[in-house]
Amino acid sequence: MNSFDLVIRNGTVVTAADTSICDIAVRDGRIVAMGEGLEAGREEIDASGQFVLPGGVDAHCHLDQPMGPGVQMADDFESGTRSAACGGTTTVIPFAAQEKGASLKAAVEDYHRRANGKSCIDYAFHLIISDASQDVLVRELPELIEAGYTSFKIYMTYDDLKLDDRQILETLAVARREGAMTMVHAENADCIAWLTETLEAIGHTAPRYHADARPSIVEREATHRAISLAELVDTPVLIVHVSGREAIEQIRWAQGRGLRVYGETCPQYLFLTAEDLDKDGFEGAKCVCSPPPRDKANQAGVWDGLENGVFQVFSSDHAPFRYDDDKGKKAAGDTAPFQYIPNGIPGIETRLPLLFSEGVLGGRIDITRFVALTATNPARIYGLYPRKGTIAIGADADIAIWDPKVEWTIRNAELHHNVDYTPYEGMQLRGRPVTTISRGQVVWRNGQFKGTAGQGRFVPCERPQPARPRGESRGF
Ligand SMILES: [Zn+2]
């Protein structure tokens, strides 16, 4: 009875709070003991000189999400979660997206079919609400929240997804009543449409103009409006994929007022700029994502936000489209105006190594903050903690062992996604996850993927905040 399935020895164990050198024992997929000189396990891993971290929780990634006609995501649950595991991530939370006019529940059922038997690591779902009909708000959404789908994303832009302010208010009111978390894609749709038409009229249609059609002011205004709507309803919101200083100022302002406003950013806002969209021919399409990457000053602002606590969550926003593919970036042809290029870039495997190398080993954030941003906070905010996102007795044995001495170069040929490029090709990094463990099973070790499709399980989320029945406080 006392025997352990696995013991990880002598590593520097890091949580969002502490660092200590100790052994970790695993039985039946959970952490059951931590201490010095633990007895032998059936399998042993020596982690001397290495960091033992909670596996990453990637709380913003898109896998096998149904797209418009003629466009297909490059990664399904198998290739996407394989890539995640090889980059030190052990939980993903992709999106079950409702189509306008369709049922939200049907979207969840369809998404389970896509994940089932394919995922190599554990997963939960966020919802995307694109049609805030009475049936969705009154019936489907409360039932889904009760069943463990406790967070959803809403969009202020994209014609096929966006909600207007009234619909956002009504959706936020449901989040408050039912105890759910709302994620907001904050960009002003009308400003973008007007700028896009204006640019097109003067022939500015190359990929680089994508950035001009979505300037910071468009993101700043929507961020402020999302915060105001959430303040009116008195419920928390998380502003996703924040790209630069102006939106950060809005979030900091809200946090200073004591509002429960959270911020998320992503690698593309630390390592890319709008210049990456301005490459020869159509190459800039590889870095078309929304909001777009900005400039060096904004990159510095995003680093500041990670250091000083404006941001709680660091996600990939992995949205995988192949470049040289008529269902990917070239779906509308290789001279298509920028507004027809599928939005999104890959990054599920490079998320953690980029932040570890440049953030932790670069001296910008300490390693406990790295754990908080990439695992503990997302697990807490979305209701998976303490089962996920930390190293503690009773938690799932989801662990990434990092060797800070490894030096390596990002090469797409060596990544495990199904995308034919990475925006970070050729970047030299220090530190890498050398072993990833998912519920006690080694899924990545010494450069080899060891997992199997289907071993990952669906994990329902707890309510991130207490439900507040009608009548309390503001009378909702
Ligand atoms: Zn988004």
Side-chain angles (χ1 to χ4, degrees):
M1 179 55 205
N2 275 331
S3 66
F4 300 130
D5 298 333
L6 168 69
V7 177
I8 302 163
R9 288 198 191 278
N10 301 315
T12 301
V13 176
V14 186
T15 68
D18 302 303
T19 299
S20 58
I21 295 178
C22 71
D23 304 339
I24 296 174
V26 174
R27 189 190 300 132
D28 297 332
R30 296 189 313 138
I31 295 168
V32 292
M34 297 170 66
E36 295 179 342
L38 294 184
E39 64 187 77
R42 282 194 292 107
E43 190 181 350
E44 298 252 336
I45 293 175
D46 178 18
S48 304
Q50 299 178 334
F51 290 107
V52 180
L53 271 50
V57 176
D58 196 340
H60 192 151
C61 53
H62 303 270
L63 301 175
D64 200 13
Q65 191 174 313
M67 305 304 296
V71 179
Q72 194 173 4
M73 284 199 164
D75 283 313
D76 63 6
F77 271 83
E78 182 171 353
S79 63
T81 58
R82 178 182 67 210
S83 186
C86 299
T89 290
T90 52
T91 305
V92 290
I93 319 182
F95 297 86
Q98 180 199 20
E99 260 182 72
K100 276 202 197 288
S103 150
L104 187 56
K105 267 197 175 159
V108 170
E109 284 161 15
D110 171 66
Y111 213 47
H112 272 294
R113 282 192 290 275
R114 291 166 187 261
N116 200 6
K118 285 199 159 180
S119 192
C120 310
I121 56 174
D122 288 356
Y123 56 97
F125 293 167
H126 301 297
L127 309 171
I128 287 174
I129 298 170
S130 66
D131 194 341
S133 67
Q134 283 306 298
D135 192 45
V136 166
L137 295 184
V138 174
R139 191 179 61 84
E140 288 200 319
L141 186 52
E143 286 176 20
L144 286 165
I145 292 167
E146 177 68 27
Y149 310 88
T150 62
S151 50
F152 51 80
K153 184 177 180 190
I154 56 175
Y155 288 79
M156 300 172 85
T157 187
Y158 297 133
D159 287 341
D160 53 345
L161 294 170
K162 71 179 182 207
L163 303 185
D164 65 26
D165 290 356
R166 174 65 187 260
Q167 293 164 332
I168 292 173
L169 285 170
E170 289 178 356
T171 308
L172 288 168
V174 176
R176 180 179 198 280
R177 227 165 35 230
E178 304 292 335
M181 180 60 61
T182 308
M183 313 159 76
V184 185
H185 179 131
E187 289 184 296
N188 181 309
D190 285 330
C191 293
I192 294 167
W194 180 74
L195 286 166
T196 300
E197 280 173 30
T198 306
L199 287 161
E200 193 166 31
I202 53 171
H204 288 183
T205 59
R208 58 185 273 216
Y209 295 107
H210 171 78
D212 294 348
R214 314 178 91 100
S216 289
I217 188 169
V218 162
E219 184 186 9
R220 180 192 78 201
E221 184 280 330
T223 300
H224 183 88
R225 184 155 39 99
I227 289 166
S228 301
L229 300 178
E231 183 178 4
L232 188 66
V233 175
D234 185 23
T235 198
V237 279
L238 185 141
I239 310 295
V240 294
H241 47 51
V242 173
S243 74
R245 287 180 187 276
E246 296 207 19
I248 289 170
E249 284 167 6
Q250 299 302 312
I251 296 169
R252 188 200 284 278
W253 169 81
Q255 290 168 346
R257 285 165 65 82
L259 302 176
R260 289 167 297 163
V261 172
Y262 303 107
E264 174 203 77
T265 193
C266 315
Q268 47 270 39
Y269 307 116
L270 296 174
F271 300 101
L272 302 178
T273 67
E275 284 179 29
D276 290 294
L277 277 70
D278 190 12
K279 297 223 173 95
D280 288 348
F282 199 60
E283 286 275 315
K286 289 179 177 176
C287 293
V288 165
C289 61
S290 296
R294 310 273 180 208
D295 59 14
K296 291 281 178 198
N298 278 291
Q299 285 184 351
V302 174
W303 277 115
D304 288 346
L306 288 169
E307 290 168 36
N308 64 27
V310 171
F311 292 119
Q312 289 71 41
V313 179
F314 187 76
S315 306
S316 69
D317 195 9
H318 182 76
F321 299 101
R322 293 173 66 84
Y323 174 66
D324 219 352
D325 192 309
D326 61 10
K327 287 191 165 128
K329 291 286 186 182
K330 297 181 178 174
D334 59 9
T335 55
F338 63 82
Q339 69 268 37
Y340 302 111
I341 299 169
N343 274 220
I345 61 172
I348 203 164
E349 188 169 347
T350 45
R351 169 182 79 120
L352 297 175
L354 284 165
L355 189 66
F356 190 90
S357 180
E358 302 306 306
V360 177
L361 298 183
R364 289 178 161 115
I365 56 172
D366 67 30
I367 194 161
T368 55
R369 186 176 289 270
F370 175 87
V371 169
L373 286 163
T374 60
T376 315
N377 291 348
R380 275 183 193 277
I381 287 172
Y382 299 119
L384 290 170
Y385 181 87
R387 181 171 173 190
K388 304 293 188 188
T390 193
I391 291 180
I393 308 289
D396 283 353
D398 288 356
I399 293 166
I401 303 175
W402 287 73
D403 187 339
K405 295 178 293 298
V406 175
E407 297 190 9
W408 61 293
T409 303
I410 297 179
R411 301 272 180 230
N412 193 61
E414 291 162 23
L415 298 179
H416 300 79
H417 59 191
N418 191 34
V419 186
D420 56 355
Y421 73 96
T422 166
Y424 312 109
E425 185 75 33
M427 269 190 72
Q428 293 180 303
L429 300 186
R430 289 181 297 154
R432 188 168 191 175
V434 288
T435 305
T436 308
I437 296 165
S438 168
R439 252 186 302 97
Q441 302 290 314
V442 171
V443 291
W444 164 252
R445 185 109 210 251
N446 299 327
Q448 297 286 321
F449 176 66
K450 308 270 192 191
T452 15
Q455 78 180 84
R457 292 184 199 156
F458 174 73
V459 187
C461 295
E462 304 284 332
R463 284 182 162 83
Q465 57 164 333
R468 294 182 185 82
R470 230 175 252 277
E472 205 179 296
S473 180
R474 286 178 195 271
F476 298 114

